[in-house]
Amino acid sequence: RGLWKVCDPYFRFWYAAVRPSMSELDAGDAEGVWRHAIRPRMNDLLSDSFEDECRQWVRRRNADGGLPFRYESMGRWWHGSEEIDVVAIGKGKAHLLGECKFRNAPVGVDVLKDLRDKESRWFKKGPGWLWLFSKNGFQDGNWAEGDTIRLVQPEELEE
């Protein structure tokens, strides 16, 4: 079993958002397509691209020594219905797990708890770091637990 996705963001957007509405667009209803078919789904339509950008950012940090360890492999991870957006594995089973949230609201501590639960079930060995990426920042709350938790702010992704 495999997971297939269109990698090019232009084609991904085209086939997910534009092509299904071609008859309405051909009839000249671009405003209606935007208002009813695309705008309400923008977070879903762009979340894959945001996850890709977060992984690229982690790759750049690996290259410039900005990670807590140098990873040997990195990508997405899933098991059944569980998924982790960023998984980087290094020597000694060191791991960095990351969740990428492309939402209109700041991310809450519940996302960290969910990632921590996944780590305890699937990544029990080796030192671990949990990083959260958010389009709109983070809610106030009890986030910090030493230096193993990192909240990556949206403006950092531009570096």
Side-chain angles (χ1 to χ4, degrees):
R1 293 176 42 176
L3 179 66
W4 293 87
K5 94 174 186 178
V6 177
C7 290
D8 183 280
Y10 173 81
F11 285 112
R12 187 182 318 154
F13 185 82
W14 173 266
Y15 285 107
V18 178
R19 191 167 190 278
S21 301
M22 284 304 296
S23 62
E24 291 88 356
L25 291 169
D26 286 343
D29 188 19
E31 180 62 32
V33 168
W34 166 251
R35 192 174 330 113
H36 299 289
I38 296 176
R39 192 164 115 204
R41 298 179 46 219
M42 280 304 271
N43 284 347
D44 291 335
L45 293 169
L46 297 178
S47 64
D48 282 346
S49 294
F50 182 70
E51 291 173 12
D52 291 343
E53 180 55 37
C54 293
R55 283 187 289 276
Q56 289 296 325
W57 187 84
V58 170
R59 281 190 181 93
R60 291 191 301 273
R61 299 296 74 83
N62 193 52
D64 67 17
L67 297 180
F69 64 94
R70 183 149 178 91
Y71 69 73
E72 297 172 341
S73 63
M74 197 266 295
R76 292 175 61 213
W77 176 92
W78 64 94
H79 184 273
S81 63
E82 293 190 315
E83 177 194 2
I84 301 175
D85 301 324
V86 178
V87 175
I89 305 292
K91 291 182 179 168
K93 300 200 187 267
H95 56 274
L96 184 150
L97 308 180
E99 283 294 329
C100 309
K101 298 300 178 190
F102 195 82
R103 299 177 176 168
N104 289 331
V107 169
V109 178
D110 58 315
V111 175
L112 177 60
K113 180 188 176 308
D114 184 52
L115 186 57
R116 197 179 280 133
D117 290 346
K118 290 175 186 176
E119 179 187 36
S120 69
R121 282 193 305 278
W122 305 107
F123 296 87
K124 296 175 185 176
K125 297 180 181 176
W129 290 263
L130 304 178
W131 288 16
L132 301 179
F133 301 82
S134 173
K135 166 191 163 193
N136 279 307
F138 301 91
Q139 295 175 357
D140 292 335
N142 185 16
W143 294 92
E145 291 185 16
D147 61 351
T148 62
I149 308 293
R150 177 154 183 206
L151 308 180
V152 180
Q153 301 295 335
E155 56 273 8
E156 291 182 76
L157 295 173
E158 298 171 10
E159 300 172 355

PDB file of all heavy atoms in Angstrom, residues 8 24-25 28 41-42 45 63-64 70 83 89 91 96 99 108 124 127 133 137 140 152-154 159:
ATOM      1  N   ASP A   8       3.825  18.796  -7.147  1.00  0.00           N
ATOM      2  CA  ASP A   8       3.891  20.185  -7.599  1.00  0.00           C
ATOM      3  C   ASP A   8       2.703  20.960  -7.023  1.00  0.00           C
ATOM      4  O   ASP A   8       1.546  20.591  -7.257  1.00  0.00           O
ATOM      5  CB  ASP A   8       3.858  20.229  -9.125  1.00  0.00           C
ATOM      6  CG  ASP A   8       3.998  21.641  -9.648  1.00  0.00           C
ATOM      7  OD1 ASP A   8       2.983  22.376  -9.639  1.00  0.00           O
ATOM      8  OD2 ASP A   8       5.117  22.004 -10.058  1.00  0.00           O
ATOM      9  N   GLU A  24     -18.451  25.701 -13.970  1.00  0.00           N
ATOM     10  CA  GLU A  24     -18.856  27.002 -13.433  1.00  0.00           C
ATOM     11  C   GLU A  24     -17.910  28.099 -13.899  1.00  0.00           C
ATOM     12  O   GLU A  24     -18.325  29.215 -14.217  1.00  0.00           O
ATOM     13  CB  GLU A  24     -18.904  26.982 -11.893  1.00  0.00           C
ATOM     14  CG  GLU A  24     -20.024  26.135 -11.323  1.00  0.00           C
ATOM     15  CD  GLU A  24     -19.603  24.684 -11.133  1.00  0.00           C
ATOM     16  OE1 GLU A  24     -18.478  24.302 -11.501  1.00  0.00           O
ATOM     17  OE2 GLU A  24     -20.423  23.915 -10.612  1.00  0.00           O
ATOM     18  N   LEU A  25     -16.618  27.797 -13.956  1.00  0.00           N
ATOM     19  CA  LEU A  25     -15.643  28.786 -14.424  1.00  0.00           C
ATOM     20  C   LEU A  25     -15.848  29.089 -15.907  1.00  0.00           C
ATOM     21  O   LEU A  25     -15.784  30.260 -16.319  1.00  0.00           O
ATOM     22  CB  LEU A  25     -14.221  28.289 -14.171  1.00  0.00           C
ATOM     23  CG  LEU A  25     -13.811  28.232 -12.702  1.00  0.00           C
ATOM     24  CD1 LEU A  25     -12.494  27.475 -12.532  1.00  0.00           C
ATOM     25  CD2 LEU A  25     -13.710  29.640 -12.122  1.00  0.00           C
ATOM     26  N   GLY A  28     -18.353  31.568 -16.480  1.00  0.00           N
ATOM     27  CA  GLY A  28     -18.038  32.922 -16.032  1.00  0.00           C
ATOM     28  C   GLY A  28     -18.276  33.185 -14.555  1.00  0.00           C
ATOM     29  O   GLY A  28     -18.253  34.336 -14.123  1.00  0.00           O
ATOM     30  N   ARG A  41     -12.321  26.211   1.659  1.00  0.00           N
ATOM     31  CA  ARG A  41     -11.407  25.066   1.765  1.00  0.00           C
ATOM     32  C   ARG A  41      -9.934  25.466   1.723  1.00  0.00           C
ATOM     33  O   ARG A  41      -9.073  24.615   1.621  1.00  0.00           O
ATOM     34  CB  ARG A  41     -11.670  24.110   0.599  1.00  0.00           C
ATOM     35  CG  ARG A  41     -13.056  23.522   0.589  1.00  0.00           C
ATOM     36  CD  ARG A  41     -13.288  22.594  -0.606  1.00  0.00           C
ATOM     37  NE  ARG A  41     -12.196  21.675  -0.808  1.00  0.00           N
ATOM     38  CZ  ARG A  41     -11.736  21.322  -2.020  1.00  0.00           C
ATOM     39  NH1 ARG A  41     -12.268  21.819  -3.107  1.00  0.00           N
ATOM     40  NH2 ARG A  41     -10.739  20.476  -2.126  1.00  0.00           N
ATOM     41  N   MET A  42      -9.644  26.761   1.826  1.00  0.00           N
ATOM     42  CA  MET A  42      -8.267  27.218   1.650  1.00  0.00           C
ATOM     43  C   MET A  42      -7.294  26.531   2.603  1.00  0.00           C
ATOM     44  O   MET A  42      -6.206  26.133   2.194  1.00  0.00           O
ATOM     45  CB  MET A  42      -8.156  28.735   1.808  1.00  0.00           C
ATOM     46  CG  MET A  42      -8.563  29.499   0.574  1.00  0.00           C
ATOM     47  SD  MET A  42      -7.641  29.027  -0.899  1.00  0.00           S
ATOM     48  CE  MET A  42      -6.271  30.128  -0.780  1.00  0.00           C
ATOM     49  N   LEU A  45      -6.718  23.106   1.317  1.00  0.00           N
ATOM     50  CA  LEU A  45      -6.033  23.121   0.030  1.00  0.00           C
ATOM     51  C   LEU A  45      -4.551  23.464   0.168  1.00  0.00           C
ATOM     52  O   LEU A  45      -3.730  22.982  -0.603  1.00  0.00           O
ATOM     53  CB  LEU A  45      -6.708  24.114  -0.918  1.00  0.00           C
ATOM     54  CG  LEU A  45      -8.119  23.750  -1.370  1.00  0.00           C
ATOM     55  CD1 LEU A  45      -8.776  24.921  -2.073  1.00  0.00           C
ATOM     56  CD2 LEU A  45      -8.083  22.526  -2.276  1.00  0.00           C
ATOM     57  N   ALA A  63      21.188  21.321   7.454  1.00  0.00           N
ATOM     58  CA  ALA A  63      22.376  21.712   6.692  1.00  0.00           C
ATOM     59  C   ALA A  63      23.202  22.765   7.419  1.00  0.00           C
ATOM     60  O   ALA A  63      24.437  22.744   7.353  1.00  0.00           O
ATOM     61  CB  ALA A  63      21.964  22.227   5.316  1.00  0.00           C
ATOM     62  N   ASP A  64      22.523  23.691   8.133  1.00  0.00           N
ATOM     63  CA  ASP A  64      23.284  24.763   8.793  1.00  0.00           C
ATOM     64  C   ASP A  64      23.578  24.483  10.265  1.00  0.00           C
ATOM     65  O   ASP A  64      24.058  25.348  10.987  1.00  0.00           O
ATOM     66  CB  ASP A  64      22.593  26.117   8.615  1.00  0.00           C
ATOM     67  CG  ASP A  64      21.255  26.255   9.343  1.00  0.00           C
ATOM     68  OD1 ASP A  64      20.960  25.457  10.257  1.00  0.00           O
ATOM     69  OD2 ASP A  64      20.490  27.169   8.989  1.00  0.00           O
ATOM     70  N   ARG A  70      22.133  15.825  13.982  1.00  0.00           N
ATOM     71  CA  ARG A  70      22.101  15.737  12.523  1.00  0.00           C
ATOM     72  C   ARG A  70      21.316  14.481  12.152  1.00  0.00           C
ATOM     73  O   ARG A  70      21.675  13.378  12.546  1.00  0.00           O
ATOM     74  CB  ARG A  70      23.514  15.661  11.959  1.00  0.00           C
ATOM     75  CG  ARG A  70      23.513  15.638  10.453  1.00  0.00           C
ATOM     76  CD  ARG A  70      24.752  16.301   9.885  1.00  0.00           C
ATOM     77  NE  ARG A  70      24.750  16.212   8.453  1.00  0.00           N
ATOM     78  CZ  ARG A  70      24.226  17.132   7.641  1.00  0.00           C
ATOM     79  NH1 ARG A  70      23.679  18.207   8.143  1.00  0.00           N
ATOM     80  NH2 ARG A  70      24.254  16.978   6.339  1.00  0.00           N
ATOM     81  N   GLU A  83      -0.734  10.031  11.894  1.00  0.00           N
ATOM     82  CA  GLU A  83       0.244  10.632  11.010  1.00  0.00           C
ATOM     83  C   GLU A  83       1.065  11.645  11.795  1.00  0.00           C
ATOM     84  O   GLU A  83       0.564  12.303  12.706  1.00  0.00           O
ATOM     85  CB  GLU A  83      -0.455  11.341   9.850  1.00  0.00           C
ATOM     86  CG  GLU A  83       0.491  12.051   8.933  1.00  0.00           C
ATOM     87  CD  GLU A  83      -0.196  13.027   7.993  1.00  0.00           C
ATOM     88  OE1 GLU A  83      -1.425  13.185   8.084  1.00  0.00           O
ATOM     89  OE2 GLU A  83       0.514  13.647   7.206  1.00  0.00           O
ATOM     90  N   ILE A  89      15.122  11.261  11.833  1.00  0.00           N
ATOM     91  CA  ILE A  89      15.752  10.212  12.634  1.00  0.00           C
ATOM     92  C   ILE A  89      17.263  10.303  12.465  1.00  0.00           C
ATOM     93  O   ILE A  89      17.767  10.375  11.337  1.00  0.00           O
ATOM     94  CB  ILE A  89      15.276   8.806  12.203  1.00  0.00           C
ATOM     95  CG1 ILE A  89      13.745   8.708  12.241  1.00  0.00           C
ATOM     96  CG2 ILE A  89      15.944   7.727  13.043  1.00  0.00           C
ATOM     97  CD1 ILE A  89      13.141   8.765  13.615  1.00  0.00           C
ATOM     98  N   LYS A  91      21.318   9.197  14.523  1.00  0.00           N
ATOM     99  CA  LYS A  91      22.032   8.106  15.196  1.00  0.00           C
ATOM    100  C   LYS A  91      21.496   7.914  16.603  1.00  0.00           C
ATOM    101  O   LYS A  91      21.040   8.856  17.246  1.00  0.00           O
ATOM    102  CB  LYS A  91      23.516   8.419  15.238  1.00  0.00           C
ATOM    103  CG  LYS A  91      24.153   8.363  13.872  1.00  0.00           C
ATOM    104  CD  LYS A  91      25.628   8.626  13.938  1.00  0.00           C
ATOM    105  CE  LYS A  91      26.175   8.524  12.525  1.00  0.00           C
ATOM    106  NZ  LYS A  91      27.511   9.026  12.391  1.00  0.00           N
ATOM    107  N   LEU A  96      13.297  13.768  15.942  1.00  0.00           N
ATOM    108  CA  LEU A  96      12.606  15.046  16.008  1.00  0.00           C
ATOM    109  C   LEU A  96      11.259  14.821  15.334  1.00  0.00           C
ATOM    110  O   LEU A  96      11.202  14.383  14.182  1.00  0.00           O
ATOM    111  CB  LEU A  96      13.396  16.121  15.265  1.00  0.00           C
ATOM    112  CG  LEU A  96      12.842  17.534  15.330  1.00  0.00           C
ATOM    113  CD1 LEU A  96      13.988  18.532  15.249  1.00  0.00           C
ATOM    114  CD2 LEU A  96      11.815  17.824  14.267  1.00  0.00           C
ATOM    115  N   GLU A  99       4.636  18.630  14.121  1.00  0.00           N
ATOM    116  CA  GLU A  99       3.279  18.779  13.587  1.00  0.00           C
ATOM    117  C   GLU A  99       3.166  20.157  12.962  1.00  0.00           C
ATOM    118  O   GLU A  99       3.614  21.157  13.542  1.00  0.00           O
ATOM    119  CB  GLU A  99       2.231  18.633  14.689  1.00  0.00           C
ATOM    120  CG  GLU A  99       1.982  17.213  15.117  1.00  0.00           C
ATOM    121  CD  GLU A  99       1.356  16.342  14.030  1.00  0.00           C
ATOM    122  OE1 GLU A  99       0.590  16.857  13.190  1.00  0.00           O
ATOM    123  OE2 GLU A  99       1.648  15.144  14.024  1.00  0.00           O
ATOM    124  N   GLY A 108      -3.233  25.198  19.930  1.00  0.00           N
ATOM    125  CA  GLY A 108      -3.336  24.986  21.372  1.00  0.00           C
ATOM    126  C   GLY A 108      -2.428  23.874  21.861  1.00  0.00           C
ATOM    127  O   GLY A 108      -1.865  23.102  21.078  1.00  0.00           O
ATOM    128  N   LYS A 124       9.731   5.227  21.242  1.00  0.00           N
ATOM    129  CA  LYS A 124      10.063   5.090  22.661  1.00  0.00           C
ATOM    130  C   LYS A 124      11.560   5.185  22.935  1.00  0.00           C
ATOM    131  O   LYS A 124      11.959   5.551  24.028  1.00  0.00           O
ATOM    132  CB  LYS A 124       9.538   3.757  23.190  1.00  0.00           C
ATOM    133  CG  LYS A 124       8.041   3.660  23.144  1.00  0.00           C
ATOM    134  CD  LYS A 124       7.557   2.295  23.566  1.00  0.00           C
ATOM    135  CE  LYS A 124       6.058   2.203  23.383  1.00  0.00           C
ATOM    136  NZ  LYS A 124       5.537   0.896  23.681  1.00  0.00           N
ATOM    137  N   PRO A 127      16.797   9.805  22.352  1.00  0.00           N
ATOM    138  CA  PRO A 127      16.390  11.148  22.760  1.00  0.00           C
ATOM    139  C   PRO A 127      15.439  11.762  21.736  1.00  0.00           C
ATOM    140  O   PRO A 127      15.578  11.522  20.539  1.00  0.00           O
ATOM    141  CB  PRO A 127      17.709  11.914  22.837  1.00  0.00           C
ATOM    142  CG  PRO A 127      18.633  11.176  21.913  1.00  0.00           C
ATOM    143  CD  PRO A 127      18.204   9.731  21.960  1.00  0.00           C
ATOM    144  N   PHE A 133       4.772  23.606  14.303  1.00  0.00           N
ATOM    145  CA  PHE A 133       4.790  24.669  13.307  1.00  0.00           C
ATOM    146  C   PHE A 133       3.363  25.177  13.147  1.00  0.00           C
ATOM    147  O   PHE A 133       2.436  24.378  13.023  1.00  0.00           O
ATOM    148  CB  PHE A 133       5.272  24.132  11.956  1.00  0.00           C
ATOM    149  CG  PHE A 133       6.641  23.524  11.992  1.00  0.00           C
ATOM    150  CD1 PHE A 133       6.830  22.213  12.410  1.00  0.00           C
ATOM    151  CD2 PHE A 133       7.742  24.256  11.611  1.00  0.00           C
ATOM    152  CE1 PHE A 133       8.094  21.637  12.438  1.00  0.00           C
ATOM    153  CE2 PHE A 133       9.019  23.698  11.626  1.00  0.00           C
ATOM    154  CZ  PHE A 133       9.193  22.384  12.045  1.00  0.00           C
ATOM    155  N   GLY A 137       0.615  31.157  14.820  1.00  0.00           N
ATOM    156  CA  GLY A 137       1.153  31.228  16.170  1.00  0.00           C
ATOM    157  C   GLY A 137       0.520  30.233  17.123  1.00  0.00           C
ATOM    158  O   GLY A 137      -0.116  29.261  16.708  1.00  0.00           O
ATOM    159  N   ASP A 140      -1.651  30.907  24.429  1.00  0.00           N
ATOM    160  CA  ASP A 140      -0.942  30.914  25.703  1.00  0.00           C
ATOM    161  C   ASP A 140      -1.216  29.606  26.409  1.00  0.00           C
ATOM    162  O   ASP A 140      -2.279  29.017  26.272  1.00  0.00           O
ATOM    163  CB  ASP A 140      -1.422  32.078  26.582  1.00  0.00           C
ATOM    164  CG  ASP A 140      -1.009  33.423  26.015  1.00  0.00           C
ATOM    165  OD1 ASP A 140      -0.009  33.476  25.272  1.00  0.00           O
ATOM    166  OD2 ASP A 140      -1.680  34.425  26.312  1.00  0.00           O
ATOM    167  N   VAL A 152       7.712  26.736  16.525  1.00  0.00           N
ATOM    168  CA  VAL A 152       8.279  27.461  15.391  1.00  0.00           C
ATOM    169  C   VAL A 152       7.243  28.473  14.918  1.00  0.00           C
ATOM    170  O   VAL A 152       6.160  28.109  14.451  1.00  0.00           O
ATOM    171  CB  VAL A 152       8.686  26.492  14.262  1.00  0.00           C
ATOM    172  CG1 VAL A 152       9.285  27.260  13.095  1.00  0.00           C
ATOM    173  CG2 VAL A 152       9.667  25.444  14.778  1.00  0.00           C
ATOM    174  N   GLN A 153       7.602  29.739  15.059  1.00  0.00           N
ATOM    175  CA  GLN A 153       6.702  30.835  14.694  1.00  0.00           C
ATOM    176  C   GLN A 153       6.661  30.991  13.175  1.00  0.00           C
ATOM    177  O   GLN A 153       7.635  30.664  12.474  1.00  0.00           O
ATOM    178  CB  GLN A 153       7.164  32.136  15.346  1.00  0.00           C
ATOM    179  CG  GLN A 153       7.230  32.079  16.856  1.00  0.00           C
ATOM    180  CD  GLN A 153       5.847  31.888  17.501  1.00  0.00           C
ATOM    181  OE1 GLN A 153       4.824  32.240  16.930  1.00  0.00           O
ATOM    182  NE2 GLN A 153       5.849  31.322  18.703  1.00  0.00           N
ATOM    183  N   PRO A 154       5.554  31.500  12.627  1.00  0.00           N
ATOM    184  CA  PRO A 154       5.418  31.621  11.168  1.00  0.00           C
ATOM    185  C   PRO A 154       6.547  32.417  10.520  1.00  0.00           C
ATOM    186  O   PRO A 154       7.032  32.056   9.463  1.00  0.00           O
ATOM    187  CB  PRO A 154       4.068  32.318  10.982  1.00  0.00           C
ATOM    188  CG  PRO A 154       3.357  32.196  12.274  1.00  0.00           C
ATOM    189  CD  PRO A 154       4.364  31.949  13.338  1.00  0.00           C
ATOM    190  N   GLU A 159      13.020  32.205   7.006  1.00  0.00           N
ATOM    191  CA  GLU A 159      14.491  32.230   7.052  1.00  0.00           C
ATOM    192  C   GLU A 159      15.086  31.179   6.141  1.00  0.00           C
ATOM    193  O   GLU A 159      14.593  30.120   5.970  1.00  0.00           O
ATOM    194  CB  GLU A 159      14.977  31.974   8.480  1.00  0.00           C
ATOM    195  CG  GLU A 159      14.473  32.993   9.445  1.00  0.00           C
ATOM    196  CD  GLU A 159      14.794  32.611  10.894  1.00  0.00           C
ATOM    197  OE1 GLU A 159      15.313  31.527  11.150  1.00  0.00           O
ATOM    198  OE2 GLU A 159      14.504  33.443  11.764  1.00  0.00           O
TER     199      GLU A 159
END
